[in-house]
């Protein structure tokens, strides 16, 4: 007979054993009976959807302390949802009593959770395609106001199981990390290194690559002012007005924490957009992007009003942009440039014919991994190529229009018209990038070449002999004045002179032998993002012109959050093109020195010139066709905005239509796609003439106020 000591030893051994969970199939049955998704359960367990799937198919088992939490949940469900034929029992205290749908009341759970706090949050409708994620865990924040549902929703892409919680999260001061689709994660980090570790190992944040040869997008964590303070960062920085040079000093405690934890910062340091990384281990990248709202990470010109919104709304806006465009990497200009590389990666895996091994090789159609020097006329005056060579032969001047018609050319009939109406071309630079063939290699120099409109490059041509109507801007100069001597032009400008019936005889040229439509995937992705976002705001392709004008009047009020996304998409286009010729910054710069942007393969002023040249030519072609179709001449042009005299307050009063009611091809047409036009503003004709007499541009102010419409860098 066993002794009491032996019996107690056996009992103690049983108590020390790990809790036994029901079989995997029963775990899945209980969860489904409770109406809880795998993603939601993963959120409650502070795990991932794939891990829960593994629990339910027997591939893996939870470890302590997640094991005890999971067993407690299953026991509660088993009591409430017994197997067929078994009696139900009261659910243990603390176990959720019913599934939730739109409105959820409960508490944080899991070993990493803070002190329990209960609250209600109403999930806002999501209008953007994004990865499905767990329902919101309740957080200490008032319910956000209900938003107007989208008119049209795009199909959601397949979920990447590696990143179940989407590309980014907005972290608040109480540890609530708001993600896409209304999910909320709990982040226990109180230091930046802890935040980086949590993001990479526990958050489930990130996004897959946009090209088979590209790289996954690093997760982005956006910090509110209170989150920044919680992590030991200043709410604002000294020298706040000098945003470009804004960064923490190297001796700041947070920078020291990062270095001590063996993380690194990029050369731009710890600023509004900080990248914290370690060298990749094999194929696994270890990099987290931080954006600090109170340090002006989101420029209000590109993201109007976003910084002042609630974290959940910011997450929705940035998540929509990340899904449709790219995970933000900095300003919209930086993101626009990075998107080019993400869609056209410089390298791909190729097989070495000698060894049979797979090695990194050039990806055809890309710009490669090494920067190339521009031709002297394509560079800027401070560029080393220009300074070191003593170049004095002039430069390309392919810029957007800034032209005002002389009041002396106005007819009496025009002056008696009551209104001046401004038309704005949707994302004109994006439309110009479509099917645009550009040079991919370094330039070669030619003397007296025969002009070929299919070869991208820069041509020295004399176009001063061409007679032009003074009521239209010259298509060859940004200010619209006719050229007076030989000058350098991009291929599209010279080709347009030939299209107008004039002889062109280049004196010199810098041409590129390797060419391709480098910007095509960039154009396609941004065009889709622009059109889909407008459609979500109620501006769809199937509207009549009158309906389109009415919808555009209201689209910003339909959903301010999506209107901010639309603004960011447009800024991405303009800024990305501008970044192709980024100039040196800082008072200490001296002519002839290199600057950081020159180290990029994407420092390509010739590609920028090609986009702008084609956009300006497209504008002039429409202006010319409008004369043929209607007899109307513009009053002024500013980049993609043109002002016409009109008998009425609507573009419908002067745009050309066939007797069938359809728009005449060749002129300006209304519509929501890139290259089509929308109403920019209406003023009186007297107002416009008054500005013209003062030498001011009515297109700059037609919208009202002091809005500037030029597509600068």
């Amino acid at each position: 007979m066993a002794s009491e000591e032996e019996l107690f030893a056996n009992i103690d051994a049983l108590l020390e054993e790990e809790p036994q969970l029901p079989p995997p199939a029963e775990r899945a049955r209980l969860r489904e009976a409770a109406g809880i998704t795998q993603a939601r359960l993963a959120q409650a367990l502070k795990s991932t959807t794939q891990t829960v799937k593994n629990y339910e198919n027997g591939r893996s088992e939870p470890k302590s302390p997640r094991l005890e939490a999971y067993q407690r949940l299953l026991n509660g469900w088993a009591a409430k949802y017994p197997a067929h034929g078994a009696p139900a029992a009261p659910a243990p205290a603390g176990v959720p009593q019913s599934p939730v749908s739109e409105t959820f009341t409960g508490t944080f759970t899991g070993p990493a959770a803070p002190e329990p706090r209960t609250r209600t949050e109403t999930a806002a409708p999501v209008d953007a395609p994004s990865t499905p994620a767990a329902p919101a865990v309740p957080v200490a924040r008032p319910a956000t106001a209900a938003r107007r549902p989208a008119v049209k929703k795009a199909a959601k892409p397949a979920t990447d199981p590696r990143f179940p919680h989407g590309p980014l999260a907005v972290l608040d001061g109480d540890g609530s990390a708001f993600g896409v689709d209304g999910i909320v994660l709990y982040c226990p980090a109180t230091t930046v290194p802890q935040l980086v570790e949590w993001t990479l190992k526990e958050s489930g944040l990130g996004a897959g690559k946009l090209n088979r040869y590209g790289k996954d997008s690093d997760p982005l964590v956006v910090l509110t002012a209170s989150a920044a303070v919680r992590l030991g960062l200043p709410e604002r920085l000294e020298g706040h007005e000098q945003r470009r040079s804004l960064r923490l000093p190297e001796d700041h405690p947070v920078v020291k924490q990062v270095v001590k934890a063996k993380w690194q910062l990029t050369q731009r340091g710890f600023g509004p957009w900080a990248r914290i990384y370690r060298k990749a281990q094999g194929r696994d990248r270890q990099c987290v992007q931080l954006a600090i709202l109170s340090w002006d990470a989101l420029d209000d010109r590109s993201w109007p009003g976003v910084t002042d919104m609630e974290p959940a709304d910011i997450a929705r806006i940035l998540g929509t942009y990340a899904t449709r465009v790219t995970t933000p990497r900095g300003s919209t200009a930086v993101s626009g440039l990075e998107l080019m590389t993400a869609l056209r990666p410089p390298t791909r895996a190729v097989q070495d014919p000698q060894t049979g091994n797979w090695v990194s090789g050039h990806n055809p159609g890309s710009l490669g991994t090494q920067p190339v020097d521009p031709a002297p006329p394509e560079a800027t005056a401070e560029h080393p190529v220009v300074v070191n060579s003593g170049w004095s032969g002039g430069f390309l001047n392919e810029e957007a229009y800034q032209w005002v018609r002389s009041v002396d050319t106005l007819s009496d009939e025009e002056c008696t018209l009551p209104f001046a109406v401004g038309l704005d071309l949707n994302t004109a630079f994006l439309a110009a990038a479509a099917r645009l063939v550009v040079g991919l290699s370094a330039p070669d120099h030619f003397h007296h070449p025969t002009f070929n409109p299919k070869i991208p490059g820069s041509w020295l041509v004399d176009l001063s002999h061409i007679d032009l109507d003074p009521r239209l801007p010259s298509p060859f100069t940004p200010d619209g004045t006719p050229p007076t001597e030989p000058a350098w032009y991009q291929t599209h400008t010279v080709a347009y002179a030939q299209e107008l019936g004039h002889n062109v005889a280049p004196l010199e040229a810098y041409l590129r032998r390797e060419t391709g439509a480098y910007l095509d995937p960039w154009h396609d992705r941004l065009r889709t993002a622009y059109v889909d976002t407008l459609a979500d705001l109620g501006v769809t392709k199937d509207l009549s012109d009158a309906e389109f004008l009415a919808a555009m009047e209201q689209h910003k009020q339909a959903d301010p959050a999506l209107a901010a996304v639309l603004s960011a998409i447009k800024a991405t286009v303009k800024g990305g093109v501008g970044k192709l010729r980024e100039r040196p910054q800082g008072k200490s710069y001296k002519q002839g020195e290199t600057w950081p942007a020159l180290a990029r393969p994407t420092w390509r002023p010739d590609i920028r010139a090609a986009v702008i040249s084609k956009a300006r030519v497209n504008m002039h072609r429409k202006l010319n066709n409008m004369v043929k179709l209607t007899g109307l001449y513009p009053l002024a042009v500013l980049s993609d905005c043109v002002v016409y005299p009109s008998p009425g307050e609507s573009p419908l009063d002067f745009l050309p239509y066939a007797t069938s009611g359809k728009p005449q091809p060749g002129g300006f047409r209304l519509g929501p796609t890139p290259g089509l036009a929308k109403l920019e503003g209406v003023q009186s004709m007297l107002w416009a003439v008054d500005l013209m007499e003062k030498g001011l541009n009515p297109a700059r102010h037609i919208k009202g106020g002091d809005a500037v419409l030029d597509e600068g860098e």
Side-chain angles (χ1 to χ4, degrees), residues 241-258:
E241 67 283 353
Q242 299 176 348
R243 186 174 178 275
R244 289 185 181 275
S245 59
L246 198 64
R247 65 181 64 189
L248 286 180
E250 293 185 4
D251 60 354
H252 190 278
V254 170
V255 176
K256 290 182 177 180
Q257 287 175 357
V258 170

Side-chain angles (χ1 to χ4, degrees), residues 312-330:
D313 294 314
I314 298 173
R316 174 177 174 245
I317 292 167
L318 295 180
T320 303
Y321 178 89
T323 305
R324 295 184 174 179
V325 181
T326 185
T327 304
R329 293 280 303 273

